[in-house]
Amino acid sequence: MNANLSEADAANELMRLARAIAQHNRLYHADDAPQISDAEYDALVRRNAELEAAFPSLVRDDSPSRLVGHEVAASPLSKVRHEQRMMSLDNAFSDEEVVDFVGRMRRFLALPEDAEVAMTAEDKIDGLSCSLRYERGVLVRAATRGDGQVGEDVTANVATITDIPQQLMGDIPEVFEVRGEVYMSKADFAALNAAQAAKDDKIFANPRNAAAGSLRQKDASVTASRRLCFLAHGWGATSAVPEATQFTMMQRIAAWGVPVSPQLVLCNDTATMLQHYRKIEQARADLPYDIDGVVYKVDRLDWQERLGFVAKSPRWAMAHKFPAERAETTLEAIDIQVGRTGKLTPVGRLKPVTVGGVVVSNVTLHNRDEIARLGLRVGDRVVLQRAGDVIPQVVENLTRDVSRDAYAFPDHCPECSSEAVAEEGEVDVRCTGGLVCPAQRTERLRHFVSRVALDIEGLGEKTILEFFALGWLESPADIFRLKERRTEILTREGWKEKSVDNLLAAIEAKRTPDAARLLFALGIRHVGVVTARDLCKRFVALPRLREVAEKAHTGDEEANAELISIDGIGPAVVEALGDFFHEAHNVSVWEDILSEVSPPDYVVETKDSPVAGKTVVFTGALETMSRDEAKAQAEALGARSAGSVSAKTDLVVAGPGAGSKLKKAQELNIEVIDEAAWADIVKAAG
Ligand SMILES: [Zn+2]
């Protein structure tokens, strides 16, 4: 923890962390395409917790510490609200933490120091949590965890999973929700990826992602074509719980016909729990499925009840995680890749090695500092770690003490030979070539036409590189002038009348692009998809955004305040926008593209409502909806939702636990209502 960190810096960092963690949650849970390792993710979460502990007044409404799992993704599956929230578990990484955990419970229950607390222990399957609702013994609904409160309806999909009975056998309570993990076995995962590779289709990073991608399908026949399994680990809403302990209840669920882990045991003391942990850890490699730890739960259900929940996790359960898997290999080369923003990323080429069931031959080395921290040089023996997940990383250099010249990080761009420097306070080294750097220019063009940006079909990487080399594509606007080169393109190998016309038609179709997509496509630093949309909502037309951003850059307080007042926009974005328009070549790219395309004014569909045109701030806990849902409602009613209370705020919706924002609203004499009154406004406008 940085002792001299200012409150403003901490607030900025917390904002960045909230956004980064939300993005990685989305990539991991919704897109099944994680981009960072679990360890890196955990580091972000830990940093967030540290900062929040040091600056309790800065805890954000959208803080990751307040969320379970991920926000429910925009998906074709319909949403299901869980009658009883699906919780997540706290983690322990050492025996001491497990002992502490048992000690805490003992104190909470006011038991004597030496009292043993019987607990169940079972392997923690790395799958996708699912809730199965049985009414009168018949499966009526299956839902994914989602954000813990709202998941996705996968009833049709689980119908194809043979482990999940459609009908339970025996004496079943009127309503009973079985909870457990849908997973894919290691063998089925390997077979699926082999089949995907043969079709040149998407390769899944790990069995968990494959299971999630297979279950969350609009077309249940896709799910049916993949072999999925299920193991129960607990229950949710029930009309009755016919047993008094966790262990006997799980036995009963098994008797009803739902599979339960064969590793589930009852432990009468902590020593037995830890013994079972070691046993499962040893058996791990031979188990048919991936696991990442052992879960302990208090056996007595009346004690579970008394212990209850803290924040998003039960006090009576804990996941004891396994250490990450490691392997040793040789670093054979360090290559430098130049990205769209000119960032030089070192990539380690490794002697291929298997770690955690995956052959690894490349590893990102992140940046210059990381190479220096590990003292990496070509030829070094390194330890690679892969934590039940995605991107492996180098965690140790075994030959750092052997005398050899240190690796010299390039001070010139390997693509354009321009100087490469790290700005003050930045770890990333960037090529200063800007538009003369072919790597940056082609990466920017690729970004410009990519699916999330302008989405121009038929203009792939190969074509961009080819046209760029010919001098036909200097900047994004040139894309819209390609039609003048129709005859020339036809002389190129591989192009026919039809393919050229298809490409030109795809380009023409984007003459009136969505303003937010166009703004995002320009690749301004810190302006991602969401930020671009937020900016367009506020400024409606791009020239107006430029005007305000330029003013803010010259130090105009009002312009700066206008930008900062937008929820989710912080100083980093304001600075990046100012810098962008300050650079002459960016302005010419901007003007050039706006001479070729005309994005219509950005229209937010609104309803006539009493809050139309007003600025609303939500604070405190909302009980019947997520904050995102509330914000979406405000926007649909023509209101703007802001992140902080100021003189420009018209209305504050405060839930329980509202703190400084509520106080400020009262000081400024701003109208404050509760969640129910807000719901009435929404209902009246509906
Ligand atoms: Zn360069």
Side-chain angles (χ1 to χ4, degrees):
M1 187 78 223
N2 225 333
N4 51 13
L5 191 70
S6 77
E7 190 161 302
D9 286 344
N12 277 333
E13 191 174 346
L14 283 167
M15 178 189 72
R16 285 198 299 275
L17 284 165
R19 293 192 142 202
I21 291 168
Q23 186 205 355
H24 291 303
N25 279 341
R26 210 155 38 236
L27 287 165
Y28 186 85
H29 294 284
D31 302 345
D32 306 317
Q35 286 180 351
I36 60 171
S37 68
D38 280 2
E40 286 171 289
Y41 177 85
D42 288 345
L44 293 177
V45 173
R46 261 199 311 278
R47 176 68 181 162
N48 190 71
E50 263 175 29
L51 285 171
E52 290 187 344
F55 298 93
S57 65
L58 296 181
V59 175
R60 297 169 60 86
D61 289 338
D62 63 350
S63 165
S65 62
R66 296 189 172 190
L67 305 170
V68 177
H70 66 105
E71 292 169 41
V72 179
S75 105
L77 298 166
S78 50
K79 310 272 163 77
V80 176
R81 183 165 287 274
H82 296 296
E83 187 180 328
Q84 192 174 317
R85 191 183 185 130
M86 290 183 81
M87 307 302 279
S88 59
L89 297 179
D90 278 341
N91 293 325
F93 294 93
S94 67
D95 290 3
E96 291 73 38
E97 286 175 272
V98 175
V99 172
D100 286 349
F101 158 62
V102 177
R104 273 199 307 278
M105 289 192 302
R106 207 180 274 129
R107 282 193 297 280
F108 189 97
L109 295 168
L111 299 174
E113 278 291 313
D114 54 352
E116 289 300 350
V117 180
M119 307 203 59
T120 62
E122 67 199 291
D123 42 359
K124 183 173 185 302
I125 292 152
D126 204 6
L128 185 72
S129 299
C130 211
S131 185
L132 311 171
R133 186 179 176 91
Y134 289 88
E135 289 177 8
R136 280 177 283 275
V138 176
L139 179 66
V140 294
R141 181 172 296 145
T144 62
R145 173 205 294 277
D147 65 1
Q149 288 175 311
V150 177
E152 290 168 330
D153 189 331
V154 288
T155 313
N157 310 73
V158 307
T160 68
I161 301 176
T162 44
D163 279 352
I164 297 179
Q166 291 293 307
Q167 165 107 49
L168 300 180
M169 297 167 300
D171 188 14
I172 325 285
E174 175 82 17
V175 172
F176 197 92
E177 288 182 6
V178 176
R179 289 184 173 171
E181 296 286 302
V182 170
Y183 67 93
M184 185 177 281
S185 75
K186 292 176 188 169
D188 288 333
F189 168 70
L192 171 63
N193 261 357
Q196 294 285 104
K199 287 187 295 184
D200 213 11
D201 218 333
K202 175 178 174 174
I203 300 296
F204 293 98
N206 54 43
R208 202 215 81 90
N209 293 126
S214 303
L215 184 67
R216 299 173 60 252
Q217 289 280 345
K218 176 92 180 147
D219 178 0
S221 71
V222 176
T223 311
S225 72
R226 314 261 173 90
R227 287 261 311 269
L228 295 175
C229 308
F230 182 83
L231 284 176
H233 53 53
W235 56 95
T238 60
S239 55
V241 179
E243 297 284 345
T245 68
Q246 177 79 22
F247 190 69
T248 50
M249 195 58 225
M250 292 312 293
Q251 284 179 319
R252 196 179 271 247
I253 290 174
W256 290 341
V258 188
V260 163
S261 171
Q263 315 292 332
L264 173 72
V265 299
L266 179 60
C267 306
N268 284 316
D269 53 47
T270 315
T272 320
M273 285 158 60
L274 295 174
Q275 259 169 30
H276 194 57
Y277 172 87
R278 303 270 171 262
K279 192 179 146 211
I280 291 180
E281 188 180 18
Q282 273 182 5
R284 183 182 184 186
D286 301 319
L287 291 176
Y289 43 77
D290 268 356
I291 61 173
D292 58 2
V294 171
V295 175
Y296 309 121
K297 289 177 183 166
V298 167
D299 194 41
R300 276 177 60 167
L301 298 182
D302 57 337
W303 282 0
Q304 285 190 9
E305 183 103 356
R306 280 174 57 196
L307 284 157
F309 299 91
V310 54
K312 56 182 189 173
S313 331
R315 243 188 228 102
W316 43 266
M318 175 157 275
H320 189 177
K321 294 288 196 82
F322 293 132
E325 291 188 55
R326 293 182 168 209
E328 210 183 293
T329 188
T330 304
L331 178 63
E332 296 189 320
I334 297 175
D335 287 349
I336 300 288
Q337 289 176 349
V338 184
R340 171 164 60 87
T341 58
K343 180 184 164 188
L344 270 52
T345 303
V347 178
R349 307 295 179 196
L350 305 167
K351 187 171 192 306
V353 63
T354 303
V355 51
V358 173
V359 179
V360 177
S361 49
N362 299 310
V363 63
T364 177
L365 301 175
H366 302 288
N367 52 48
R368 186 177 59 182
D369 287 10
E370 179 70 359
I371 292 181
R373 187 179 72 81
L374 292 161
L376 290 174
R377 297 147 306 180
V378 172
D380 282 349
R381 288 293 286 172
V382 294
V383 176
L384 210 60
Q385 174 172 300
R386 187 173 166 272
D389 68 324
V390 226
I391 300 176
Q393 49 181 350
V394 174
V395 289
E396 201 185 337
N397 181 357
L398 298 172
T399 33
R400 65 179 307 152
D401 297 331
V402 177
S403 110
R404 212 177 307 153
D405 286 342
Y407 173 76
F409 200 90
D411 51 12
H412 285 81
C413 171
E415 301 281 342
C416 73
S417 308
S418 298
E419 222 186 318
V421 295
E423 276 170 43
E424 177 101 25
E426 292 255 342
V427 289
D428 292 330
V429 175
R430 287 172 202 277
C431 162
T432 55
L435 289 184
V436 307
C437 180
Q440 289 186 55
R441 286 165 69 185
T442 51
E443 282 300 312
R444 280 182 195 185
L445 286 164
R446 278 177 57 187
H447 170 74
F448 191 85
V449 303
S450 66
R451 271 181 60 190
V452 269
L454 240 61
D455 191 19
I456 297 177
E457 221 173 300
L459 203 49
E461 180 179 5
K462 214 177 115 241
T463 308
I464 287 177
L465 292 176
E466 183 188 350
F467 289 3
F468 180 81
L470 289 163
W472 296 353
L473 281 185
E474 298 278 323
S475 82
D478 287 338
I479 294 167
F480 292 90
R481 293 190 277 262
L482 278 176
K483 61 179 181 183
E484 294 153 25
R485 300 192 185 269
R486 186 173 181 279
T487 3
E488 285 171 276
I489 299 174
L490 274 172
T491 65
R492 306 294 307 173
E493 205 187 307
W495 289 97
K496 298 210 166 53
E497 297 263 346
K498 194 168 158 43
S499 54
V500 176
D501 288 340
N502 283 347
L503 172 62
L504 295 178
I507 293 169
E508 287 309 306
K510 304 292 173 173
R511 287 275 175 188
T512 52
D514 176 80
R517 277 178 178 256
L518 180 63
L519 181 59
F520 169 67
L522 288 165
I524 301 169
R525 269 183 89 190
H526 302 303
V527 179
V529 183
V530 177
T531 304
R533 220 181 293 138
D534 291 344
L535 288 166
C536 286
K537 269 183 203 159
R538 171 61 61 95
F539 296 107
V540 182
L542 293 179
R544 164 104 175 101
L545 164 67
R546 177 180 164 186
E547 191 189 313
V548 176
E550 283 182 324
K551 272 193 191 160
H553 193 67
T554 62
D556 183 307
E557 282 293 327
E558 203 175 323
N560 192 59
E562 181 165 13
L563 283 162
I564 295 282
S565 73
I566 304 171
D567 199 9
I569 306 277
V573 176
V574 179
E575 196 183 323
L577 284 169
D579 288 350
F580 179 84
F581 289 112
H582 188 64
E583 197 73 53
H585 64 75
N586 289 332
V587 171
S588 71
V589 165
W590 169 274
E591 285 174 349
D592 198 12
I593 188 68
L594 285 176
S595 74
E596 291 292 341
V597 304
S598 351
D601 281 356
Y602 199 81
V603 184
V604 184
E605 275 195 37
T606 57
K607 284 180 189 153
D608 207 18
S609 82
V611 294
K614 295 192 173 172
T615 300
V616 183
V617 172
F618 294 94
T619 182
L622 297 180
E623 281 165 347
T624 63
M625 69 187 100
S626 72
R627 188 160 303 274
D628 283 344
E629 187 181 352
K631 285 179 185 170
Q633 287 175 345
E635 278 165 17
L637 294 176
R640 283 198 292 251
S641 103
S644 57
V645 174
S646 72
K648 288 189 175 175
T649 309
D650 298 297
L651 180 67
V652 170
V653 181
S660 57
K661 289 179 190 173
L662 176 59
K663 213 172 132 227
K664 186 145 185 214
Q666 284 158 346
E667 280 165 17
L668 292 169
N669 232 343
I670 294 165
E671 187 187 354
V672 178
I673 61 171
D674 64 8
E675 189 177 344
W678 172 253
D680 288 342
I681 294 177
V682 174
K683 219 165 123 195

